[in-house]
Amino acid sequence: GVLLVFGAGLGAAVSATIGVGAIAVAQGLDPSALAVNWFTWWLGDASGLILVTPLIVYLVRLPYRKPTWFQLIEGLALVFGAAGVGLLALTGSIGRAWAVPGQFLIMVLIIWTAFILGPRISMLSVNVVAAVAVIAAVRLEGPFVDPSRNTTLLSLQAAMCGLAIATLILATMVEQRREALLVAEAVRDELEQKVHERTAQLEELATHDPLTGLMNRRAFSAVLDRAVQQARRAHPSALLFGDLDGFKSFNDARGHAAGDAALVAVAEVLRTEARGADAVARLGGDEFALLLDGASRAGAAAVSERIGERIGGLGVDAGVPMGVSIGVVSIDGALAGDELLAAADRAMYAAKATSDGSIVVVADIATAADPAGDPTADAAGG
């Protein structure tokens, strides 16, 4: 719009007025010829601006998009097709009966180019057609030729100017639509990414403890059920159930922020003791669980001892006594997941009741599910 109104309209009018006025003063131009000369000058300047300026701007300023081989071949075919049809329809190479349909075919090809390949190639096609029409008119060939050279010039300029304006408007609309689609796609992709991230966050909150990042009870129960199924296929494992000793005193003495930091530190201890196929969870409060995939009862006891020593070290470093009581149960497929947690929980409380240790290992899985039975067979110092 700015180019048409201020460039081709106002700018070319100023240029034509100055030029024709200078000729009239210098050479005494007949007043009756002023209007014709002014219009010819103005139309020539306007045609040049409308034809060439958009092409230069598109070549320099419009972002380049790497075309596919098909688009490249299609673009070359359309440009050369417009040039070829222009040679036939604008140079008089075909009969007059075919020349008019050929001229309309030029517009069809340029519209096709604007929709498929954008304004840069469509304006290039217009300039190629304009060059063919100018050459034909100079050779006195084609539909624009008139006994009056001025009429020939005006007809040629008006036709090419109209073709360029129509193509420019169409190409601009197509480009704006393409840019709007790109913006819409970018917004859609951004929204999809945000939805994906939010969904992942919700899934994380549904299955993990927000403070420590460990599994919560719900997620750990599902893992434990799978471990039971594997144990029934001759792949036993071990379950550790731990509860911190002296944590309330630690929390009261150091404050809740320090208590949260201590829980995070305990979670890190459990993570470092876990292997790739193991699972670690915070079941609630200061209760933790560790599933040792494929571990024997003795191996689980050894891991429990290391955990007890390291957690005890955390209390020593903080200056407030803190330890851990751990119950250990072998997973052999005899008990379901919730029964294993209950058995390990009882073993943990049995560990708290011992005076010489903080680890109790269930030796008889048959009695582990019986609250009246004795779930412990041995205790290890922790």
Side-chain angles (χ1 to χ4, degrees), residues 20-52:
V20 173
I23 294 175
V25 172
Q27 300 183 5
L29 189 65
D30 187 350
S32 62
L34 285 176
V36 174
N37 281 272
W38 184 93
F39 184 73
T40 304
W41 193 309
W42 171 80
L43 189 56
D45 287 351
S47 300
L49 285 169
I50 293 172
L51 283 166
V52 179

Side-chain angles (χ1 to χ4, degrees), residues 18 21 61 70 100 123 138 147 150 230 253-254 279 315 336 339 370:
I18 294 174
R61 299 292 298 276
F70 179 79
V100 174
M123 289 306 298
V138 170
N150 193 69
Q230 291 176 346
R254 300 296 299 275
E339 295 173 325
D370 182 10

Side-chain angles (χ1 to χ4, degrees), residues 27-118:
Q27 300 183 5
L29 189 65
D30 187 350
S32 62
L34 285 176
V36 174
N37 281 272
W38 184 93
F39 184 73
T40 304
W41 193 309
W42 171 80
L43 189 56
D45 287 351
S47 300
L49 285 169
I50 293 172
L51 283 166
V52 179
T53 302
L55 178 61
I56 295 175
V57 172
Y58 288 144
L59 290 175
V60 175
R61 299 292 298 276
L62 195 67
Y64 279 86
R65 302 183 184 92
K66 186 178 181 180
T68 63
W69 280 107
F70 179 79
Q71 289 175 328
L72 184 61
I73 294 172
E74 186 178 26
L76 292 174
L78 288 172
V79 172
F80 283 108
V85 174
L87 284 172
L88 294 175
L90 301 178
T91 61
S93 300
I94 55 178
R96 187 174 182 82
W98 293 98
V100 174
Q103 294 166 25
F104 283 103
L105 181 58
I106 294 173
M107 191 62 194
V108 171
L109 292 173
I110 291 176
I111 291 174
W112 185 359
T113 305
F115 271 102
I116 302 300
L117 301 173

Side-chain angles (χ1 to χ4, degrees), residues 13-353:
V14 171
S15 174
T17 301
I18 294 174
V20 173
I23 294 175
V25 172
Q27 300 183 5
L29 189 65
D30 187 350
S32 62
L34 285 176
V36 174
N37 281 272
W38 184 93
F39 184 73
T40 304
W41 193 309
W42 171 80
L43 189 56
D45 287 351
S47 300
L49 285 169
I50 293 172
L51 283 166
V52 179
T53 302
L55 178 61
I56 295 175
V57 172
Y58 288 144
L59 290 175
V60 175
R61 299 292 298 276
L62 195 67
Y64 279 86
R65 302 183 184 92
K66 186 178 181 180
T68 63
W69 280 107
F70 179 79
Q71 289 175 328
L72 184 61
I73 294 172
E74 186 178 26
L76 292 174
L78 288 172
V79 172
F80 283 108
V85 174
L87 284 172
L88 294 175
L90 301 178
T91 61
S93 300
I94 55 178
R96 187 174 182 82
W98 293 98
V100 174
Q103 294 166 25
F104 283 103
L105 181 58
I106 294 173
M107 191 62 194
V108 171
L109 292 173
I110 291 176
I111 291 174
W112 185 359
T113 305
F115 271 102
I116 302 300
L117 301 173
R120 183 184 290 116
I121 304 301
S122 60
M123 289 306 298
L124 176 61
S125 299
V126 170
N127 278 267
V128 170
V129 171
V132 171
V134 169
I135 293 173
V138 170
R139 297 176 58 182
L140 301 179
E141 298 174 347
F144 306 114
V145 176
D146 188 87
S148 169
R149 286 186 174 271
N150 193 69
T151 303
T152 299
L153 179 60
L154 292 176
S155 300
L156 173 62
Q157 290 176 339
M160 294 301 103
C161 189
L163 178 62
I165 291 174
T167 304
L168 183 61
I169 294 174
L170 177 62
T172 301
M173 293 174 59
V174 171
E175 186 63 19
Q176 289 176 345
R177 179 178 179 274
R178 182 180 287 113
E179 291 177 356
L181 288 175
L182 291 175
V183 171
E185 290 175 359
V187 172
R188 180 203 62 194
D189 293 343
E190 182 179 358
L191 289 176
E192 288 181 351
Q193 180 65 24
K194 288 182 178 180
V195 170
H196 177 75
E197 292 175 355
R198 184 58 180 164
T199 302
Q201 291 174 355
L202 293 176
E203 290 176 352
E204 181 76 10
L205 290 174
T207 58
H208 287 74
D209 173 53
L211 175 63
T212 62
L214 299 179
M215 287 183 181
N216 58 20
R217 181 181 289 270
R218 175 185 176 186
F220 187 76
S221 296
V223 173
L224 189 58
D225 290 338
R226 288 196 295 269
V228 171
Q229 296 299 323
Q230 291 176 346
R232 290 170 182 169
R233 295 192 293 270
H235 184 79
S237 299
L239 171 64
L240 279 61
F241 192 109
D243 182 89
L244 298 181
D245 300 327
F247 180 71
K248 185 178 185 305
S249 299
F250 183 97
N251 206 36
D252 293 340
R254 300 296 299 275
H256 292 293
D260 289 345
L263 292 175
V264 172
V266 170
E268 187 60 29
V269 169
L270 297 177
R271 280 195 187 92
T272 57
E273 290 294 338
R275 302 159 300 172
D278 298 340
V280 187
R282 181 188 177 197
L283 302 181
D286 57 348
E287 293 181 342
F288 295 85
L290 175 59
L291 173 64
L292 297 175
D293 183 66
S296 63
R297 196 164 57 216
V303 172
S304 300
E305 291 179 8
R306 291 199 302 271
I307 291 173
E309 293 173 358
R310 294 182 61 182
I311 293 178
L314 295 176
V316 172
D317 294 339
V320 181
M322 185 176 67
V324 63
S325 297
I326 300 176
V328 181
V329 176
S330 293
I331 303 174
D332 60 2
L335 299 180
D338 56 345
E339 295 173 325
L340 287 168
L341 279 175
D345 185 30
R346 289 194 298 273
M348 179 271 296
Y349 276 107
K352 281 186 178 292

